[in-house]
Amino acid sequence: MNIELGRGKTVRRAYGFDEIALVPGNRTLDPQLADTQWQIGGIERSIPIIASAMDGVVDVDIAIKLSQFGALGVLNLEGIQTRYDDPNPILDQIAAVGKEDFVTLMQKLYAEPIRPELIRDRIQAIKSQGGIAAVSCTPAGAAKFGQEIAAAGADLIFIQATVVSTAHLSPESVQPLDIAQFCSDMSVPVVLGNCVTYDVALNLMKAGAAAVLVGIGPGAACTSRGVLGVGVPQATAVADCAAARDDYQQETGRYVPVVADGGIVTGGDICKCIAVGADAVMIGSPIARAKEAPGRGYHWGMATPSPVLPRGTRIRVGSTGTLEQILKGPAQLDDGTHNLLGALQTSMGTLGAKNLKEMQQVEVVVAPSLLTEGKVYQKAQQLGMGK
């Protein structure tokens, strides 16, 4: 439905996850029967969760453990893992610095050049222990290091920026990455993002994307929406891009997964992502809360250390449980941030969805009061959904 914002400006209403709810259908099923299998780049996974390519979220060890659990972790190849032989002292500095000096310190630490030999070493370290080597870089990083990443044995390459499109304009002195050519030349599946619209998602699929990431600015540590004023609430963005996926499959026969990236904190958020069309989710802050996470209880975004326009901050998320408890339980918290897989399976059982494709077809309603209705005591006592 279009709304007249003012004379000459008509806008469309968009929705976030907090504004919608999932409606049970005519049947239910035991959560153990809920099949959460999915594929990305020909790789089968049993948990539709990807850990974000952020330095406080994924290192070599986390990537290996996530692979073992049936999920996936993406290593940031333009972060501190590829700038320093030993990232641990750097992570200690980031965790210890005060708020006032944080941005300056980050810009200094991330000014250290990326070292190609460390790209190779990190990828091979993941592979040597049986992990899936999924790695991320910007379009500029892909143009510079793409062949080295493939030669090192990476299983998946994520090309990520605030917005990635196939129609990027650059100054005459700058040669932009030809995304379609890059996808065609690479021997490794390429995941592209981020986007929030039907048209851009469709163009990325036509360019050869193995999957598309959806989301601009909803991340817990991201400030892009405030700094740039850009973004589309995630429920609407995911639904629009999922429509592009379905139309593209009908036209070509090729299925390109849509991954909701950002703004996802609880199991309920994951359930809603899939219900509006996502095949999987990419999450940062929930994994940053794992005791094994490299961030020491902190979380920050990929654009945080930008030397010219930082679009992110460092947030304190704490360490609330092990990686296994957060992913698969048993839950020790009552706020939906532990046992994310169990939450998804239980929701699917409640909704009668036997697999993710059926979960994408459940009824969704607009429900602004979903998270507040009847929760007076929880809010007053800061318990459960009132935290």
Side-chain angles (χ1 to χ4, degrees), residues 15-17 19-23 272 362-368 370:
Y15 298 92
F17 292 128
E19 299 173 283
I20 63 172
L22 312 183
V23 182
K272 293 178 188 180
V362 302
E363 183 181 354
V364 179
V365 295
V366 175
L370 178 73

Side-chain angles (χ1 to χ4, degrees), residues 60-147:
V60 169
D61 291 338
I62 288 287
I64 294 167
K65 287 185 177 181
L66 287 165
S67 299
Q68 293 169 342
F69 288 138
L72 193 67
V74 184
L75 189 73
N76 178 13
L77 291 186
E78 295 184 46
I80 62 173
Q81 296 289 329
T82 56
R83 299 175 192 265
Y84 298 92
D85 287 306
D86 183 4
N88 286 301
I90 307 303
L91 290 163
D92 290 337
Q93 289 185 56
I94 294 171
V97 70
K99 294 179 182 179
E100 297 79 9
D101 301 318
F102 169 70
V103 172
T104 303
L105 174 68
M106 293 289 276
Q107 290 171 329
K108 175 185 175 184
L109 295 176
Y110 281 76
E112 191 73 14
I114 296 167
R115 294 161 51 188
E117 70 273 16
L118 289 180
I119 291 177
R120 181 193 64 241
D121 290 350
R122 303 304 184 220
I123 291 172
Q124 292 180 352
I126 295 171
K127 299 281 287 183
S128 67
Q129 297 187 60
I132 297 171
V135 297
S136 172
C137 52
T138 62
K144 189 173 183 180
F145 302 116
Q147 294 304 320

Side-chain angles (χ1 to χ4, degrees), residues 264-278:
I264 301 155
V265 177
T266 67
D269 295 336
I270 295 173
C271 299
K272 293 178 188 180
C273 280
I274 295 174
V276 298

Side-chain angles (χ1 to χ4, degrees), residues 177-199:
L177 176 69
D178 185 327
I179 290 177
Q181 190 65 50
F182 184 85
C183 291
S184 176
D185 291 344
M186 293 301 292
S187 58
V188 180
V190 180
V191 179
L192 299 174
N194 284 32
C195 65
V196 289
T197 65
Y198 175 98
D199 289 335

Side-chain angles (χ1 to χ4, degrees), residues 109-305:
L109 295 176
Y110 281 76
E112 191 73 14
I114 296 167
R115 294 161 51 188
E117 70 273 16
L118 289 180
I119 291 177
R120 181 193 64 241
D121 290 350
R122 303 304 184 220
I123 291 172
Q124 292 180 352
I126 295 171
K127 299 281 287 183
S128 67
Q129 297 187 60
I132 297 171
V135 297
S136 172
C137 52
T138 62
K144 189 173 183 180
F145 302 116
Q147 294 304 320
E148 292 173 295
I149 294 169
D155 296 301
L156 290 166
I157 297 177
F158 286 63
I159 298 181
Q160 290 185 263
T162 301
V163 178
V164 167
S165 75
T166 56
H168 181 69
L169 302 179
S170 297
E172 291 184 4
S173 59
V174 178
Q175 181 64 41
L177 176 69
D178 185 327
I179 290 177
Q181 190 65 50
F182 184 85
C183 291
S184 176
D185 291 344
M186 293 301 292
S187 58
V188 180
V190 180
V191 179
L192 299 174
N194 284 32
C195 65
V196 289
T197 65
Y198 175 98
D199 289 335
V200 174
L202 186 61
N203 288 337
L204 294 178
M205 293 170 192
K206 290 179 178 178
V212 171
L213 301 172
V214 178
I216 296 176
C222 185
T223 61
S224 288
R225 289 181 176 180
V227 175
L228 305 180
V230 176
V232 174
Q234 277 289 69
T236 295
V238 171
D240 285 350
C241 294
R245 173 202 61 209
D246 295 341
D247 288 349
Y248 180 72
Q249 183 190 25
Q250 186 172 7
E251 178 185 338
T252 67
R254 189 170 80 93
Y255 189 87
V256 181
V258 165
V259 180
D261 175 20
I264 301 155
V265 177
T266 67
D269 295 336
I270 295 173
C271 299
K272 293 178 188 180
C273 280
I274 295 174
V276 298
D279 297 281
V281 300
M282 175 174 269
I283 57 177
S285 58
I287 303 298
R289 301 175 82 188
K291 292 178 180 177
E292 305 96 320
R296 279 78 168 146
Y298 286 96
H299 174 52
W300 58 96
M302 295 175 72
T304 301

